């Protein structure tokens, strides 16, 4: 076995036979899809994530996020003077089920943190997938009270006219993607996601959260075009094209079981952060007791959109082992089968 | 009888003030023309004054962006997003000058369906995926609101007994949640019953009014009557009032809810044109959206 073959031997890194064959046929893959295919010939990507304990929403979340940003080595110049857009996970609301959505106090913590770090402006924007009345979700989730009090602007992404760009991911049949025109007025897009299981995708974290940026007026409710194009393909396409800048995952209370809506609350007591969304999501999966290599979209993102292997992600803050809290998975749900981390 | 109040009048004036000089409406002041905003804006104007001076130019502008196949998409470079067609048909109804675009729009709605497939035993979703209805976007599945809107458009054009409307009734009844109400269009996924949403419920009730027995939708009416008092946002409130009104169940405090919702623009900022128009329509048509076209 030569060095190249050793480097890409199946099984070593949880690769599938199909990925292995892709790698061997690197030239063909590069010709047909340079974005995803070339990853097997590249050196392994490296990234860092920061895991912080936070047992309740009343804690000092802004201080924690500032600490995380510094631990992750972001320079002040990267944030100073920048226009920051925070994208929470607001799907729908149900009385007694606040764990569906990113908690408003996590948003407040992020707003305060970025302003403290010198951001010029911070705004919050979302286009919920299930409810046509975005303001109803904004209100019932408790976010409206927080942002009104903090005088932070909220934007409804479902109804904003968009701009269309080439789909740089090339995973789905969609040749182009249409993003809200607001994105042309911001410097940073931060995915402020919720730690949840997902009945179609296995887990929904910072990458899947970006479904919500796609305007409903072009993609329908519940983002029908993306579902027909394939959820996993679309997650990869959106992330590859949009290139978000940072992720914060609310794992203080997550959702286990039949997520992203009908699951049950799961207290984990963590916030996970990082520049690279694939790495952040892989770390979140490990905390949830899920093997990220077995979550299809993360496996496909590996070494393309970011690293997902533990050895390629430098862990800062708490160790994964110290905070790992296995999320219940549902046998009946195909996307949950066989993804438990050993 | 329209629910009148100086604050409703003031909101109507603010809607009128958004009209573009070349006809039509933007989604927000200062933005360019949008077909969906224009179609929605026409409806309350039409009800408040059938000879409203803005109607002609708005309807004409809408006709200008209609595609050859009769569809009206949300933007000319997004022809797949044809969901404003049904609202446009409603907006052209009652205007003989716009018979041609209206007929083309009706024909488009009769010809187009969402994507459907035979339901298999053991499917993860609870609803019957084979029933034809209407989708938001071309080549995607049929969902509750676009189906309800298309049914209203066809009913307003004398097609209440067309097979497509009957299929729409079947689809909506199949998507009604066991505990009453509708959401975007899924009933159960992996065995869990999903949550209702007031706006979806109101739209479905509006479309079904007079086409199914009351007892078949009673749970949904009960759900919405319990919810409407909490609604203070334009889409949820607007559709709730239209749906309840269409079944003769408009709550006594409707005007108060409308005023509170209009006032909430101080909290959220000005509503987009479609949302503002929907709240105004609920005040203009307490008996439901089809009442606008009844005469």
């Amino acid at each position: 076995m030569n060095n190249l073959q050793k480097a890409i031997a199946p099984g070593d890194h949880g690769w599938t036979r199909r990925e292995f064959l892709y790698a061997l046929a690197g030239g063909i893959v590069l010709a047909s899809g340079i974005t995803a295919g070339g990853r097997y010939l590249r050196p392994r990507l490296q990234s860092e994530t920061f895991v912080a304990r936070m047992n309740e929403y009343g804690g000092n979340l802004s201080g924690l996020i500032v600490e995380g940003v510094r631990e992750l080595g972001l320079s002040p110049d990267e944030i100073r003077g920048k226009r920051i857009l925070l994208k929470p996970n607001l799907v729908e609301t149900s009385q007694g089920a606040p764990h569906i959505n990113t908690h408003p106090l996590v948003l407040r913590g992020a707003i305060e943190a970025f302003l403290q770090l010198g951001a010029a402006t911070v705004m919050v924007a979302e286009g919920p997938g299930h409810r046509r009345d975005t303001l109803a979700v904004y209100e019932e989730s408790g976010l409206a009270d927080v942002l009104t009090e903090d005088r932070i602007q909220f934007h409804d992404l479902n109804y904003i006219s968009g701009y269309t760009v080439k789909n740089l991911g090339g995973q789905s049949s969609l040749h182009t993607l249409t993003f809200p025109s607001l994105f042309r007025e911001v410097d940073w897009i931060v995915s402020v996601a919720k730690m949840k299981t997902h009945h179609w995708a296995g887990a929904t974290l910072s990458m899947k959260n970006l479904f919500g940026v796609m305007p409903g007026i072009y993609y329908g409710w519940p983002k029908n075009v993306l579902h027909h194009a394939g959820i996993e393909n679309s997650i990869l396409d959106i992330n590859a094209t949009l290139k978000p800048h940072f992720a914060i995952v609310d794992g203080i209370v997550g959702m286990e079981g039949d997520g992203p809506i009908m699951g049950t609350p799961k207290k984990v007591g963590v916030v996970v952060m990082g520049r690279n969304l694939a790495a952040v999501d892989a770390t979140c999966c490990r905390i949830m007791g899920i093997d990220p290599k077995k979550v299809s979209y993360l496996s496909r993102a590996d070494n393309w959109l970011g690293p997902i292997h533990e050895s390629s992600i430098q862990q800062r803050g708490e160790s994964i082992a110290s905070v790992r809290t296995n999320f219940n998975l549902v046998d009946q749900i195909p996307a949950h089968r066989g993804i438990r981390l050993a | 009888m329209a629910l009148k109040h100086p604050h409703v009048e003031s909101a109507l004036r603010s809607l009128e003030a958004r009209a573009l000089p070349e006809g039509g409406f933007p989604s927000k002041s200062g933005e360019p023309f949008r077909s969906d905003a224009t179609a929605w804006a026409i409806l309350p104007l039409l009800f408040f004054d059938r000879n409203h001076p803005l109607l002609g130019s708005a309807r004409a502008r809408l006709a200008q962006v209609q595609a050859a196949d009769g569809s009206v998409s949300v933007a000319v470079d997004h022809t797949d997003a044809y969901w404003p067609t049904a609202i446009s048909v409603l907006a052209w109804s009652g205007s003989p000058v716009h018979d041609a675009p209206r007929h083309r729009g009706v024909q488009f709605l009769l010809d187009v369906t969402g994507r459907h497939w035979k339901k298999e035993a053991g499917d993860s979703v609870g609803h019957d995926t084979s029933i034809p209805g209407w989708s938001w976007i071309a080549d995607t599945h049929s969902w509750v609101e676009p189906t309800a809107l298309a049914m209203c458009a066809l009913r307003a054009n004398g097609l209440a007994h067309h097979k497509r409307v009957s299929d729409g009734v079947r689809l909506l009844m199949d998507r009604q949640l066991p505990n009453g109400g509708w959401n975007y269009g899924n009933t159960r996924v992996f065995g869990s019953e999903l949550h209702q949403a007031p706006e979806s419920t109101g739209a479905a009730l509006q479309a079904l009014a007079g086409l199914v027995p009351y007892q078949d939708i009673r749970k949904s009416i009960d759900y919405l009557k319990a919810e409407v008092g909490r609604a203070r946002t334009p889409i949820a409130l607007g559709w709730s009032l239209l749906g309840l009104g269409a079944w003769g169940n408009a709550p006594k405090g409707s005007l108060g809810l409308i005023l509170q919702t209009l006032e909430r623009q101080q909290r959220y900022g000005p509503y987009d044109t479609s949302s503002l128009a929907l709240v105004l329509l609920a005040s203009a048509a307490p008996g439901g959206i089809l009442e606008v076209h009844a005469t």
Side-chain angles (χ1 to χ4, degrees):
Chain A
M1 188 179 279
N2 64 31
N3 285 341
L4 174 63
Q5 285 170 319
K6 279 180 191 166
I8 58 176
D12 272 358
H13 305 284
W15 292 352
T16 65
R17 175 178 165 73
R18 186 171 64 107
E19 288 170 330
F20 179 57
L21 293 173
Y22 270 171
L24 286 179
I28 298 168
V29 172
L30 283 169
S32 61
I34 192 164
T35 46
R39 61 186 166 142
Y40 303 108
L41 302 176
R42 288 192 209 115
R44 282 225 153 267
L45 294 174
Q46 303 288 322
S47 193
E48 302 85 37
T49 60
F50 177 72
V51 179
R53 278 187 200 275
M54 179 57 71
N55 285 320
E56 54 190 39
Y57 289 103
N60 179 10
L61 279 158
S62 63
L64 177 151
I65 292 169
V66 169
E67 182 193 350
V69 165
R70 289 184 175 145
E71 282 283 326
L72 290 163
L74 275 76
S75 74
D77 285 347
E78 289 183 84
I79 299 173
R80 192 178 300 126
K82 296 292 194 301
R83 299 161 296 180
I84 311 278
L85 184 145
L86 306 179
K87 190 323 195 158
N89 186 220
L90 299 183
V91 189
E92 61 176 58
T93 53
S94 177
Q95 284 176 314
H99 53 294
I100 293 174
N101 303 309
T102 306
H103 197 285
L105 293 180
V106 173
L107 269 304
R108 171 174 277 167
I111 291 162
E112 290 175 356
F114 281 110
L115 289 174
Q116 194 181 322
L117 290 164
T121 55
V122 181
M123 63 189 83
V124 179
E126 168 65 308
H130 290 184
R131 289 287 303 271
R132 270 241 299 124
D133 192 335
T134 303
L135 287 177
V137 184
Y138 174 53
E139 190 65 57
E140 291 165 12
S141 67
L143 185 57
D145 283 339
V146 167
L147 297 193
T148 303
E149 193 176 318
D150 293 353
R151 300 186 178 192
I152 294 293
Q153 201 168 2
F154 176 81
H155 297 272
D156 179 353
L157 298 178
N158 272 334
Y159 300 92
I160 294 180
S161 294
Y163 66 95
T164 300
V165 294
K166 184 175 181 224
N167 173 8
L168 299 179
Q171 302 301 295
S172 72
S173 57
L174 303 173
H175 299 299
T176 59
L177 295 173
T178 300
F179 294 114
S181 54
L182 176 69
F183 285 8
R184 287 185 153 156
E185 299 166 23
V186 301
D187 301 302
W188 268 45
I189 293 168
V190 181
S191 177
V192 190
K194 190 77 172 173
M195 187 178 281
K196 297 190 287 189
T197 52
H198 193 285
H199 57 213
W200 302 124
T204 172
L205 298 154
S206 68
M207 289 177 69
K208 170 70 176 67
N209 182 38
L210 295 179
F211 257 45
V213 308
M214 309 307 280
I217 57 170
Y218 306 116
Y219 290 89
W221 288 262
K223 316 284 176 178
N224 319 130
V225 175
L226 304 178
H227 284 245
H228 282 275
I231 292 175
E232 292 165 0
N233 292 338
S234 298
I235 294 171
L236 296 168
D237 284 347
I238 294 166
N239 280 271
T241 308
L242 190 60
K243 298 183 175 67
H245 301 80
F246 199 73
I248 301 169
V249 179
D250 168 9
I252 297 172
V253 178
M255 180 187 285
E256 66 180 359
D258 185 9
I261 303 295
M262 306 308 295
T264 51
K266 182 70 170 180
K267 183 162 185 181
V268 188
V270 295
V271 174
V272 183
M273 288 179 266
R275 284 176 191 268
N276 184 279
L277 276 65
V280 167
D281 289 1
T283 295
C284 288
C285 280
R286 291 188 173 94
I287 291 170
M288 298 162 79
I290 291 172
D291 186 345
K293 297 195 297 293
K294 293 175 181 166
V295 174
S296 176
Y297 71 89
L298 283 174
S299 167
R300 290 167 61 188
D302 184 35
N303 219 35
W304 166 37
L305 300 178
I308 69 162
H309 288 260
E310 204 164 359
S311 60
S312 302
I313 303 171
Q314 204 171 89
Q315 210 62 62
R316 302 188 186 276
E318 305 293 334
S319 69
I320 290 171
S322 71
V323 295
R324 177 172 167 177
T325 309
N326 282 5
F327 278 43
N328 281 338
L329 300 170
V330 182
D331 286 343
Q332 187 196 353
I333 296 176
H336 287 195
R337 286 182 206 140
I339 64 172
R340 175 66 75 207
L341 186 65
Chain B
M1 179 77 75
L3 303 171
K4 293 188 175 170
H5 188 277
H7 289 179
V8 173
E9 286 291 320
S10 166
L12 186 63
R13 298 289 92 81
S14 75
L15 178 71
E16 292 167 347
R18 295 183 189 189
L20 297 165
E22 64 274 27
F25 288 80
S27 182
K28 290 194 169 169
S29 292
E31 293 183 356
F33 170 84
R34 270 260 298 264
S35 58
D36 53 328
T38 300
W40 272 116
I42 287 170
L43 297 181
L45 298 181
L46 173 62
F47 187 88
F48 280 118
D49 178 1
R50 287 182 174 277
N51 299 309
H52 195 287
L54 290 174
L55 285 174
S57 59
R59 282 165 157 162
R61 186 75 194 273
L62 208 49
Q64 283 171 20
V65 298
Q66 186 178 34
D69 65 1
S71 65
V72 177
S73 52
V74 76
V76 289
D77 54 349
H78 284 84
T79 52
D80 285 358
Y82 56 54
W83 57 270
T85 307
I87 316 161
S88 301
V89 166
L90 287 166
W92 285 316
S93 297
S95 171
V97 178
H98 299 97
D99 274 352
R102 180 171 58 83
H103 285 145
R104 283 199 297 273
V106 167
Q107 195 57 51
F108 176 81
L109 292 175
L110 291 175
D111 291 344
V112 75
T113 71
R115 213 156 118 182
H116 307 99
W117 52 90
K118 187 169 179 288
K119 185 170 170 62
E120 304 285 348
D123 267 359
S124 49
V125 297
H127 68 269
D128 184 346
T129 52
S130 71
I131 305 173
W134 286 267
S135 59
W136 292 103
I137 315 289
D139 206 26
T140 62
H141 196 38
S142 294
W143 297 105
V144 165
E145 272 192 73
T147 296
L149 282 168
M151 289 169 62
C152 289
L154 295 177
R155 292 186 64 183
N157 281 274
L159 294 166
H161 303 294
H162 194 282
K163 183 176 185 310
R164 291 301 310 277
V165 176
S166 305
D167 285 341
V169 170
R170 275 203 304 136
L171 183 146
L172 291 182
M173 293 311 293
D174 179 67
R175 306 287 183 99
Q176 187 176 211
L177 292 156
N179 288 317
W182 283 263
N183 56 32
Y184 58 88
N186 263 333
T187 52
R188 290 176 183 273
V189 178
F190 294 113
S192 298
E193 182 179 334
L194 304 183
H195 303 135
Q196 312 98 326
E199 60 271 25
S200 310
T201 303
L205 286 172
Q206 166 66 84
L208 291 168
L211 298 180
V212 296
Y214 183 83
Q215 64 264 25
D216 291 359
I217 48 83
R218 186 183 50 77
K219 277 187 186 176
S220 296
I221 294 271
D222 290 346
Y223 156 74
L224 206 49
K225 282 163 82 171
E227 281 294 310
V228 69
R230 296 197 311 121
R232 297 289 187 282
T233 50
I235 301 178
L237 181 74
W239 274 120
S240 294
L241 293 179
L242 290 169
L244 288 171
W247 285 88
N249 275 275
K252 283 183 181 160
S254 293
L255 181 58
L257 294 171
I258 288 167
L259 295 178
Q260 287 175 47
T261 300
L262 290 172
E263 193 178 328
R264 285 227 161 192
Q265 291 179 95
Q266 289 176 7
R267 180 174 171 86
Y268 306 129
Y271 294 145
D272 66 81
T273 300
S274 302
S275 299
L276 179 61
L278 184 57
V279 179
L280 289 169
L281 184 61
S283 70
I289 198 171
L290 293 174
E291 188 181 275
V292 177
H293 300 92
T295 56

